[in-house]
Amino acid sequence: MPDLTTSIGNTTFQNPVFVASGTFGYGLENPDLVDVSKFGAIVTKSITRHPREGNPPPRIVETPSGMINSIGLANIGVEKYVREMVPNYEKIGVPIIMNIAGSVEEEYCEILDIVESVSSNIVGYEINISCPNVKEGGIEFGVDPLLTEALTSALRKRTEKLLILKLSPNVTDIRVIANAAVNGGADSVSAINTVYGMSIDSMARKSEIYTTYGGLSGPAIKPIGLACVHKVFNAVDCPIIGIGGITDSADAIEYLLAGASAIQVGTANYRNPAAGLSIVEGMESYCSKHKISHITDLIGKVKTHE
Ligand code: RRO
């Protein structure tokens, strides 16, 4: 049986297949649909300091090989999250990574302090500095290496749990932001969040998303995600969590070869909430077939032509 375990910072996961933020609620919504204990980890929807309604509809539209969302950070806020969700995590038998979003450094810090003040089996935090859909929703950090480093080091002082910075592809050079996160003390970076996109109904001559632009996800963005992961892998010394258009185990293996230590399945969950479980099985078969004893042997092993 191949060994699928992978480590990020001080934490070892039973396999490298996580479900992505925003595509699996708070981790507690699908118990009858999927055996969540078989995932490597669940990453929650982004949580902010106060509850948010999000953007007005329409806020999701299907596009060729993908979808565009502009949810606008709709969530229950950290207090309700700690009261109603966190206590239930003991039962579900899978590591939880809480995704945190804010508009200023103090907001991120306050959220982290509130969660750290209660006992929980949250194993780490994915810090969203890359939401494309709100005016002050972290993307200001995600495009600026100085702000990224300062935010990361403020958060690093507050927790010993995993600290993962979620990066945007909507930047000139993702390596500069990844490097800033690591200099600030991040254990890992996840790449990528969604890519700015737009969809137009030619008959109505109207934008199909209320906010005009949204975040493109799904198979359409896999080549962008792979390039970002590969660039970061070759420039920055930290484990990377690969995200973007992963639908099957071949996609997941491609991300590992590009340099990812783990991957997240996002848009594919909308079609099949158990997509991640098929990916775990497919990875096992790939390793057996190719006589790979440990999945981590694949990390960064893509052959290039240079
Ligand atoms: O809620 C959203 O609109 C959203 C978020 Br927070 C994010 O990080 N990425 C995305 O595509 N949508």
Side-chain angles (χ1 to χ4, degrees), residues 45-46 69-74 128 130-133 166 193-194 215:
K45 172 71 187 155
S46 291
N69 86 83
S70 181
I71 305 301
L73 266 172
N128 190 350
S130 45
C131 175
N133 299 329
K166 183 165 182 178
N193 206 320
T194 51

Side-chain angles (χ1 to χ4, degrees), residues 70-236:
S70 181
I71 305 301
L73 266 172
N75 79 99
I76 58 176
V78 67
E79 277 155 18
K80 191 165 178 189
Y81 175 73
V82 162
R83 230 177 20 247
E84 296 184 11
M85 302 296 160
V86 172
N88 294 307
Y89 288 155
E90 307 292 335
K91 302 177 209 145
I92 62 171
V94 59
I96 298 288
I97 297 173
M98 176 191 178
N99 183 299
I100 295 178
S103 49
V104 290
E105 187 178 302
E106 291 68 36
E107 189 181 349
Y108 286 94
C109 291
E110 214 181 323
I111 297 166
L112 193 56
D113 289 344
I114 292 171
V115 183
E116 286 276 296
S117 71
V118 299
S119 97
S120 79
N121 62 348
I122 291 171
V123 298
Y125 305 99
E126 182 178 70
I127 308 303
N128 190 350
I129 53 167
S130 45
C131 175
N133 299 329
V134 290
K135 287 198 179 71
E136 297 167 340
I139 190 76
E140 279 154 74
F141 293 91
V143 298
D144 182 328
L146 295 178
L147 288 180
T148 296
E149 183 169 342
L151 173 65
T152 310
S153 62
L155 296 171
R156 179 76 288 169
K157 292 188 186 88
R158 297 173 140 80
T159 184
E160 287 177 2
K161 291 184 180 175
L162 269 189
L163 194 55
I164 304 159
L165 275 280
K166 183 165 182 178
L167 307 184
S168 174
N170 306 311
V171 294
T172 310
D173 189 346
I174 195 168
R175 292 168 288 202
V176 175
I177 310 297
N179 197 44
V182 171
N183 285 343
D187 295 298
S188 169
V189 295
S190 45
I192 54 175
N193 206 320
T194 51
V195 180
Y196 280 124
M198 180 176 185
S199 182
I200 297 173
D201 177 340
S202 62
M203 292 302 158
R205 302 180 198 173
K206 198 166 179 192
S207 158
E208 295 198 285
I209 288 282
Y210 182 89
T211 54
T212 308
Y213 312 116
L216 177 65
S217 63
I221 71 164
K222 189 180 76 171
I224 301 172
L226 284 173
C228 287
V229 167
H230 190 253
K231 282 183 178 182
V232 173
F233 181 77
N234 283 304
V236 185

Side-chain angles (χ1 to χ4, degrees), residues 28-36 273:
L28 299 163
E29 290 85 346
N30 295 327
D32 302 327
L33 286 178
V34 194
D35 181 358
V36 295

